[in-house]
Amino acid sequence: MNRRQFLQTGAACGLLLLKSRTAFSYQANSAVRLGLLGCGNRGTTVSTSFSKSTTAQVVALADIFPDKLALGRTHFDQLNASLGRAAIDDKMLFHGPHAFEQLASCKDVDLIQISTPPFFHVQHLETAVAAGKHVYCEKPVGVDVAQAKHALEIAKRVKPTQSVDVGFQVRSAPPIAAIAQKLQAGALGKIAAVAGNYNAPAAEEKLHPGASPDEYRLRNWLWYTALSGDILVEQNIHIIDLCNWLLGAHPLKATATGGRNILTHAGDCWDNYQVDFTYPNDVHFAFASTQFGGGGAFDAGLNMFGANGSAAIPYSGPVQIVGPQAWAWKDSENTAPAAATFAANGSFNDNLAFADRDKERTFIESITSGQSHNQVAAGVETALSCMLGRMAGYQKREVTWEELLAHGETYKLGMNLDQFA
Ligand SMILES: NC(=O)c1ccc[n+]([C@@H]2O[C@H](COP(=O)([O-])OP(=O)(O)OC[C@H]3O[C@@H](n4cnc5c(N)ncnc54)[C@H](O)[C@@H]3O)[C@@H](O)[C@H]2O)c1
């Protein structure tokens, strides 16, 4: 299946903009009422940024755990007060395993932001789309092939009046959006090869008094492949998404190595990957990642090499093209020094400093203007690209895109969520 056929399976998909009137008839300045599903680190960061950077207003919160919901409420009541907005109504707070369904059935919510662990994204997306909500869904769209295929079916059910974005905010970072335009216009000529890396510190342990083994696992979802998708699918996906986007293709096959050489804590996620992805025209993308240790070891980015020069796209440091069409990002807006510091909440103080803000503004604009997005299939394409590398690593052999799609890979949650009712 080529890329065009793949994206078509997701109906009106990818970055296609659909001209339509929004279901909610927004006035230019009226608030988009946002319900946050998953009041954790990233969810709180993104909803806060939505509140500060757009007309979106947090009016509802949902989380499986009451303590996370309570923390969220305190935070957003303070934030809303500081912005001159009302506190969240008691009736708009939901906890427990069915909180996602209760949130989706709220008629006073226009937009659901899905910031739960990756295992739940597709289920939560399905419920939010069925309820007719606009959706901002964190990456990855699915942890396994079965979920990814299911998401493609959901993509077809997104109405032209609904806008659905996937959390690839890196594409919206001003330096990266600017260099992408030049690269997509052919600034490097014929592409020879791509290299990328994501080296990050370990995910911190989350302890909660009296937590059962299941609760411990759910709170520390980042350490478990079934819940997170492993580091390639959960974290490295941002760089693999950049490569897909810039090449306008998904990998056709992959070989990979890696393992768990350093980590000794609970869970089964690997702490390093080395993947060789083959794209159309025999373009190879050599990708390497690590995730362990303390805060010092952070470095992420992409380098492209073509007949007419090379491009550097680091999270921190100069974003530039070297060669006949030489170009460098001139920082007119960000006065903060570019610091190579990791941000577990995805809010980086470097080339990505305005990524969330610009992503959110474009998304809210898609809702208020009625120029809806449906990024589900594009999100699935990148998630599957990561799963391709993961499968090649786990199986220690070359895996093709067709083999991946034919594979019945399904991860099990391994617990009954009703215990958290
Ligand atoms: N785009 C980015 O740069 C970026 C950065 C960090 C995290 N993320 C993504 O954001 C998501 C959340 O990550 P995080 O770091 O905030 O994790 P987190 O553990 O801090 O937050 C997750 C929240 O979801 C809640 N939750 C768990 N299962 C639930 C369920 N079934 N129903 C309702 N609530 C549930 C948890 O109690 C928790 O409050 C993940 O998908 C992650 O991959 C994206």
Side-chain angles (χ1 to χ4, degrees):
M1 185 190 292
N2 65 29
R3 185 166 192 256
R4 176 181 289 247
Q5 288 163 336
F6 174 82
L7 286 175
Q8 279 171 349
T9 63
C13 56
L15 298 174
L16 187 65
L17 298 180
L18 295 175
K19 285 198 165 63
S20 63
R21 278 193 62 76
T22 165
F24 299 102
S25 303
Y26 295 99
Q27 300 301 312
N29 292 318
S30 69
V32 173
R33 299 165 299 177
L34 187 158
L36 168 60
L37 175 57
C39 306
N41 201 10
R42 178 69 181 160
T44 305
T45 300
V46 172
S47 276
T48 301
S49 179
F50 264 118
S51 302
K52 290 181 172 172
S53 308
T54 76
T55 58
Q57 176 176 347
V58 177
V59 299
L61 299 173
D63 199 288
I64 197 163
F65 295 124
D67 63 297
K68 300 302 296 263
L69 184 69
L71 283 172
R73 181 184 206 177
T74 303
H75 172 84
F76 286 106
D77 278 352
Q78 282 170 359
L79 179 71
N80 280 341
S82 75
L83 296 170
R85 297 169 172 177
I88 297 171
D89 195 302
D90 285 348
K91 294 195 293 293
M92 303 292 268
L93 298 165
F94 310 99
H95 68 86
H98 299 287
F100 72 101
E101 289 158 327
Q102 294 167 307
L103 177 65
S105 67
C106 270
K107 65 173 176 28
D108 293 330
V109 168
D110 307 315
L111 158 64
I112 293 184
Q113 180 194 316
I114 299 173
S115 300
T116 46
F119 180 88
F120 304 107
H121 288 174
V122 175
Q123 180 191 23
H124 293 169
L125 176 70
E126 182 168 38
T127 304
V129 166
K133 306 300 184 189
H134 303 293
V135 186
Y136 186 94
C137 182
E138 267 306 340
K139 36 53 60 173
V141 186
V143 292
D144 58 31
V145 176
Q147 287 191 354
K149 285 182 178 169
H150 187 48
L152 289 178
E153 293 305 311
I154 299 167
K156 295 176 192 164
R157 293 180 222 145
V158 175
K159 295 190 178 70
T161 48
Q162 283 175 285
S163 203
V164 183
D165 260 24
V166 175
F168 289 124
Q169 80 278 11
V170 179
R171 293 187 185 198
S172 301
I176 294 177
I179 198 170
Q181 266 193 351
K182 296 187 177 294
L183 295 174
Q184 287 162 339
L188 300 184
K190 189 173 189 300
I191 300 299
V194 187
N197 68 297
Y198 204 125
N199 305 103
E204 282 173 20
E205 183 177 34
K206 290 173 184 159
L207 293 170
H208 188 73
S212 67
D214 282 352
E215 183 176 338
Y216 178 88
R217 190 162 159 266
L218 191 51
R219 287 184 187 266
N220 290 285
W221 60 268
L222 267 162
W223 293 356
Y224 299 88
T225 299
L227 290 169
S228 71
D230 207 341
I231 63 171
L232 203 60
V233 175
E234 195 279 328
Q235 182 174 68
N236 308 161
I237 192 168
H238 286 295
I239 302 298
I240 294 163
D241 181 62
L242 280 188
C243 188
N244 278 8
W245 185 45
L246 295 173
L247 293 180
H250 62 69
L252 304 177
K253 58 186 182 179
T255 57
T257 57
R260 196 174 160 93
N261 296 345
I262 306 286
L263 295 178
T264 54
H265 59 55
D268 55 356
C269 287
W270 284 10
D271 57 31
N272 72 96
Y273 271 95
Q274 302 77 40
V275 190
D276 181 76
F277 291 106
T278 305
Y279 282 76
N281 305 317
D282 208 27
V283 172
H284 284 255
F285 173 34
F287 177 80
S289 68
T290 52
Q291 192 189 94
F292 59 80
F298 176 60
D299 180 35
L302 192 80
N303 290 81
M304 288 186 91
F305 304 90
N308 298 337
S310 64
I313 315 175
Y315 274 26
S316 295
V319 174
Q320 60 187 11
I321 294 172
V322 177
Q325 294 194 37
W327 173 89
W329 169 255
K330 296 267 187 310
D331 202 343
S332 55
E333 191 171 13
N334 184 9
T335 50
T341 353
F342 181 65
N345 63 1
S347 180
F348 292 86
N349 183 27
D350 49 24
N351 293 324
L352 269 55
F354 297 108
D356 282 326
R357 181 199 68 182
D358 287 9
K359 167 92 179 162
E360 290 149 9
R361 285 183 177 166
T362 307
F363 177 53
I364 294 299
E365 170 70 14
S366 79
I367 295 171
T368 54
S369 68
Q371 304 283 307
S372 305
H373 296 175
N374 182 348
Q375 299 183 347
V376 179
V380 169
E381 184 183 37
T382 295
L384 282 168
S385 304
C386 301
M387 292 175 205
L388 181 71
R390 183 183 66 193
M391 189 177 282
Y394 287 177
Q395 298 193 4
K396 300 190 187 312
R397 67 178 181 93
E398 183 177 276
V399 178
T400 66
W401 184 261
E402 279 69 28
E403 281 179 280
L404 176 80
L405 292 186
H407 198 281
E409 183 188 61
T410 310
Y411 290 167
K412 298 277 177 260
L413 178 58
M415 68 177 88
N416 184 348
L417 293 183
D418 285 341
Q419 66 189 291
F420 305 119

